[in-house]
Amino acid sequence: MEIAALIPSFGNLAFTIVAFVVALSIIIAVHEFGHYIVGRWSGIRAEVFSLGFGPVLASRVDRHGTRWQVAILPLGGYVKFLGDQDAASSPDSEAMASLDAKERRASMHGAPLWARTITVMAGPAFNFALSLVLFAALFMFRGVAADPVTVDDLHPLPDMESHDLRRGDVILAVNGAPVPGANGFGEFSAGLEAVPELTYTVLRDGRELDVAGPWLYPPLVSATTPASAAANAGLIRGDVILSVNGTEIHDFDALRQAVTTSGGGSVALEVWREGRGNRTVNLTPTQFDLPAPDGGFETRWLIGVTGALAFVPAIVTPMPGEALAYGLDQVQFIIRSSLSGVYHMVAGDISTCNLSGPIGIAEVSGQAASQGWFSFIWFIALLSTAIGLINLFPIPVLDGGHLVFHAWEAVTGRPPNDRLTKLLMTGGLMLLLALMAFAIGNDIVCP
C-alpha cells in the first residue's frame, strides 16, 4: 500500500497511536515483570526495570534497590540485572570481576544455571499466562451457547416480518431434521438446502410448533476484521449483504464464494442496515493465507467479515475451569498457526506479506479498539501470545537465544566464551533490525 493511502485508513491517527501504545505497554510490562519477579524469587537482583527506551520520563527506586522507570520510546522495555552490561543482558566482565561471592550470586551471570534459566523463561511464560487469563475472562463474560439451542434474540433482517421465531423458542428441528448441539450448527447447515426460509420445529410454552424462520446463516455481518476491506469501507455489525455484483444472495457462504471467485477484483455489495435502508459499497478483496485443517495454508480472497446465525442463541457462563480450557485452546491455536506460518513463509509456500511490522500492528490495534473494549482486549491477548512466542525464537538478544546459551552450558558444564557471546548478540541484534526493516517495508508495500 502507498503511504498516502495508509494514513487515512487509520481514521484517527492519534487514537491509533494511543491504542497501539496501550496494547504494547501492557504486554511488555507483563513480559518484563515476569523476568523481574522470578529473578527476584530466585535470588537475582534487578537494578533497572524500564518500560520503554531512551531518555527517562519518570523513575523511582524501591526498597529492593530496583529503579522503576518510564522512558520516552514506548516500543519495548527491559530489566537490567546486576552484572548486565546492557538491556540485552550481555555480561559486563569488569562489573562481574568487582563483585564478591555474595554479590556474584545475586547477579544474572553468577547465579546458578537453574535460576538464570527460569528467569529468562518467565518473560514468555507470563505473556502466555496473560493471554490465557484474558481469553478465559472474555469467554466467561461473553458466555458460550447453551444446549439445547434456544433463541435469545433475533438479528434484524430485511424480511423478518415474515418470520415467526420468537425469543425463548427451543429449537428442536429444522426442515424436519433434528438439530445438534450448539457447536454443530455449521456442519448441520451444510446438509440443508440453502433457501431463504426454513421451517423450524420449536418448543414454545410447553408446546411443539412449526414456525417459519430465516436461513440459518444469512449474509449477516457479525464482525469485521480490523484493517480489512470491509472495515475500511465502513461495514459494521448488523449489516446484511443483499447482493454481490447485482446477484441476489441469502446465504453467507454464497457471499464467501462470490468474493473468492472475484480473483481480487472489485466487488459491489448492496448492503441493508436497519433504519437506514439499502446502499451500495464497492471494495476490493485482499489475498490472505489462512491456516488449513491439515496444518498447511490455503490462499483465499477475503473482505474481512464474519458471519453468524440468524438468531442470537441463549448463552451460559462457563465455569472457570471450562473457560480456562477455552482460553488454552485459543493460545495453542495461535502458537500452532504462527509456527506454521513462519515455516511456510520460509519454505516459500505463502507470501512474506503475512509478516506485519509496527505500522501494520498499530493500524490493527486502532481498529480493534474502535470496535469496542471486547475486541481490543481480544487483540491484546492475541498479540501477547505472539510476542511471547517470538521471544522464544533461538536468536541471540531474544530470550530464546539466552536459553540456547544456557543449554550449551548445561551440556558442556561451562558458559559460552564471552567474546563469542557478544559477537552472537551483535549478530542477533542486526538480524532483528533487518527483520524489522523488512516488516516495515511490508506494511508500506503489501496490499
Side-chain angles (χ1 to χ4, degrees):
M1 69 180 72
E2 299 294 333
I3 296 179
L6 182 66
I7 300 302
S9 71
F10 282 359
N12 186 320
L13 182 59
F15 179 79
T16 296
I17 293 173
V18 169
F20 176 58
V21 170
V22 169
L24 192 61
S25 295
I26 291 172
I27 293 167
I28 295 300
V30 169
H31 179 97
E32 298 302 334
F33 185 76
H35 289 312
Y36 163 78
I37 194 64
V38 172
R40 202 181 88 186
W41 289 340
S42 58
I44 303 175
R45 191 177 64 171
E47 295 186 318
V48 179
F49 185 112
S50 181
L51 189 60
F53 296 102
V56 176
L57 298 175
S59 69
R60 75 174 184 86
V61 178
D62 67 13
R63 61 188 180 87
H64 300 287
T66 301
R67 179 176 297 279
W68 297 74
Q69 64 184 38
V70 177
I72 196 168
L73 297 176
L75 298 178
Y78 62 91
V79 176
K80 182 178 179 295
F81 291 101
L82 179 64
D84 286 347
Q85 185 177 47
D86 48 40
S89 200
S90 300
D92 187 336
S93 301
E94 292 184 6
M96 291 296 297
S98 66
L99 301 178
D100 60 30
K102 183 177 180 181
E103 291 173 328
R104 187 174 180 83
R105 169 58 183 85
S107 71
M108 173 56 104
H109 307 282
L113 181 59
W114 67 265
R116 286 177 277 143
T117 301
I118 65 172
T119 298
V120 171
M121 292 178 62
F126 270 53
N127 278 138
F128 297 144
L130 172 65
S131 299
L132 176 61
V133 170
L134 289 181
F135 281 133
L138 292 175
F139 277 115
M140 291 190 69
F141 177 84
R142 184 178 61 183
V144 295
D147 281 324
V149 178
T150 303
V151 178
D152 183 63
D153 202 355
L154 296 168
H155 291 296
L157 298 172
D159 56 349
M160 65 183 306
E161 66 277 357
S162 64
H163 302 147
D164 193 33
L165 273 180
R166 298 181 186 176
R167 185 172 186 174
D169 285 348
V170 178
I171 300 177
L172 305 177
V174 178
N175 280 4
V179 300
N183 292 329
F185 255 71
E187 295 180 3
F188 174 72
S189 66
L192 300 174
E193 181 184 358
V195 293
E197 188 173 282
L198 300 171
T199 299
Y200 290 78
T201 302
V202 303
L203 182 64
R204 181 185 297 170
D205 299 327
R207 296 186 302 152
E208 284 193 18
L209 302 172
D210 288 335
V211 299
W215 171 244
L216 286 171
Y217 288 95
L220 168 72
V221 177
S222 68
T224 59
T225 303
S228 66
N232 292 335
L235 294 186
I236 62 173
R237 177 184 176 90
D239 285 347
V240 179
I241 313 301
L242 302 179
S243 68
V244 182
N245 292 333
T247 301
E248 184 178 347
I249 62 171
H250 59 267
D251 176 23
F252 190 85
D253 194 54
L255 169 64
R256 183 185 295 113
Q257 292 176 10
V259 171
T260 299
T261 57
S262 71
S266 177
V267 293
L269 307 181
E270 184 182 3
V271 181
W272 176 88
R273 182 175 297 175
E274 185 182 21
R276 297 183 61 177
N278 300 356
R279 66 188 179 105
T280 299
V281 174
N282 293 286
L283 39 79
T284 302
T286 303
Q287 186 175 349
F288 283 90
D289 296 303
L290 303 175
D294 62 1
F297 277 77
E298 58 178 343
T299 300
R300 285 168 49 190
W301 293 97
L302 302 175
I303 59 174
V305 295
T306 304
L309 283 167
F311 58 89
V312 180
I315 60 173
V316 294
T317 301
M319 297 296 290
E322 186 181 3
L324 286 172
Y326 283 126
L328 181 60
D329 286 343
Q330 193 64 39
V331 171
Q332 291 175 336
F333 172 76
I334 295 169
I335 293 174
R336 287 196 306 270
S337 299
S338 299
L339 291 176
S340 179
V342 170
Y343 170 80
H344 285 86
M345 275 192 284
V346 172
D349 298 329
I350 62 175
S351 171
T352 55
C353 283
N354 288 280
L355 179 65
S356 295
I359 297 175
I361 296 172
E363 183 179 6
V364 173
S365 66
Q367 292 206 11
S370 69
Q371 292 180 0
W373 68 267
F374 188 98
S375 177
F376 186 54
I377 293 177
W378 188 277
F379 170 75
I380 291 175
L382 187 154
L383 187 59
S384 182
T385 296
I387 288 178
L389 177 62
I390 289 171
N391 269 277
L392 285 176
F393 286 0
I395 300 175
V397 178
L398 295 181
D399 295 329
H402 288 290
L403 291 175
V404 171
F405 294 153
H406 294 338
W408 170 271
E409 183 176 349
V411 171
T412 65
R414 52 186 174 78
N417 178 273
D418 281 353
R419 185 175 178 182
L420 176 61
T421 298
K422 291 179 179 179
L423 182 63
L424 291 173
M425 296 282 277
T426 301
L429 179 60
M430 298 302 293
L431 176 61
L432 284 183
L433 291 176
L435 288 173
M436 179 70 74
F438 181 78
I440 292 174
N442 280 352
D443 292 338
I444 297 171
V445 174
C446 291

